[in-house]
Amino acid sequence: MSAEAISENRAKSDFWQGVRLSLPVVVAAAPFGLLFGALAVDNGFSVLEALLMSAMVFGGASQMVGIELFGQHVAPWLIVLSIFAVNFRHVLYSAGIGRRIAHWPPVQQAVGYFLLTDPQFAVAERKAEAGETVGFAWYMGLGLPVYVFWVAESALGAAFGRLIPDTHALGIDFLLPIYFLGLVMGFRKRPLWLPVVIASAAASIIAYKTVGSPWHVSIGAVAGVLLAVILPPRHSGVEGRP
């Protein structure tokens, strides 16, 4: 077998491994994609406009903020600023994932940054920390199903939103928080994990009670990052090693 054929088989294997890892995210995010589509139509969007917003923005929290502000006829610059604030944590994600995908060509890196989500970042970081290379095929296998299903679910929610039962009543909306909890626990061996998690959780809860959703997500992320920067190096367990 030629080296080219071996490389192609490896890429296919990596892609399908990523697809398998994406399935929990696809299932957990489904109620929220449907909900976004339904809310978008309620706020004056057409089915096509809801689909296009999901396809171009691809950010659940920022899309929710966007449709709410659109419905209130807020100035465009304020909508852009609000979405940037909600998605500020992705600036941090991009800085972290950049070192993992620096070996990719620029076009592939651009695609990778576009598909970057909370679970995408966490799973890729975990793979890199295990000493494995974050390859483009694997990354696409992880990210593409989430993207495709998110767009499709948004369109379905927009088209048939009134037929969708209350996700709170069905208890389906707990899936995504449980999945994220599992991702957070996967990093528990990292230095400063516990104090950073506590700081982020506390800041998120306070922000949720005072500022409201979904701002608490970015505020919690910033609080955790600031604590990690402020704490002295000896707390990370690195100081004193030979």
Side-chain angles (χ1 to χ4, degrees), residues 21-25 28 118-120 122-123 126 142 174-184:
L21 291 172
S22 76
L23 295 181
V25 187
D118 301 271
Q120 187 88 5
V123 176
R126 197 160 55 192
L142 178 61
F174 84 99
L175 292 174
L176 202 57
I178 291 296
Y179 177 78
F180 280 129
L181 179 61
L183 291 178
V184 171

Side-chain angles (χ1 to χ4, degrees), residues 29-227:
F32 298 92
L34 295 169
L35 178 62
F36 164 75
L39 291 176
V41 170
D42 286 344
N43 281 274
F45 280 49
S46 67
V47 174
L48 179 60
E49 288 169 341
L51 184 150
L52 289 175
M53 187 175 188
S54 283
M56 291 187 290
V57 178
F58 187 44
S62 56
Q63 288 178 224
M64 294 292 187
V65 170
I67 59 172
E68 182 178 346
L69 295 178
F70 275 123
Q72 297 174 6
H73 304 289
V74 176
W77 68 267
L78 184 57
I79 296 175
V80 173
L81 180 62
S82 300
I83 291 176
F84 175 81
V86 171
N87 266 356
F88 179 76
R89 68 191 186 282
H90 286 273
V91 176
L92 308 177
Y93 290 164
S94 298
I97 204 69
R99 55 189 174 150
R100 310 300 191 187
I101 63 175
H103 58 286
W104 297 1
V107 173
Q108 291 185 354
Q109 289 188 39
V111 174
Y113 287 127
F114 175 75
L115 291 177
L116 186 59
T117 59
D118 301 271
Q120 187 88 5
F121 171 78
V123 176
E125 273 292 297
R126 197 160 55 192
K127 182 179 179 67
E129 287 187 347
E132 302 176 35
T133 301
V134 178
F136 183 72
W138 175 87
Y139 192 96
M140 288 297 101
L142 178 61
L144 277 177
V146 179
Y147 174 75
V148 170
F149 276 93
W150 175 261
V151 174
E153 288 153 5
S154 298
L156 288 173
F160 307 105
R162 290 180 175 82
L163 302 178
I164 299 173
D166 183 9
T167 56
H168 293 281
L170 295 176
I172 299 175
D173 54 331
F174 84 99
L175 292 174
L176 202 57
I178 291 296
Y179 177 78
F180 280 129
L181 179 61
L183 291 178
V184 171
M185 292 302 295
F187 291 98
R188 63 188 180 279
K189 294 183 180 179
R190 271 192 170 190
L192 301 178
W193 176 83
L194 185 58
V196 167
V197 167
I198 292 174
S200 295
S204 292
I205 292 170
I206 294 171
Y208 182 79
K209 295 294 185 181
T210 56
V211 182
S213 176
W215 304 94
H216 65 294
V217 178
S218 292
I219 292 173
V222 171
V225 170
L226 290 176
L227 181 67

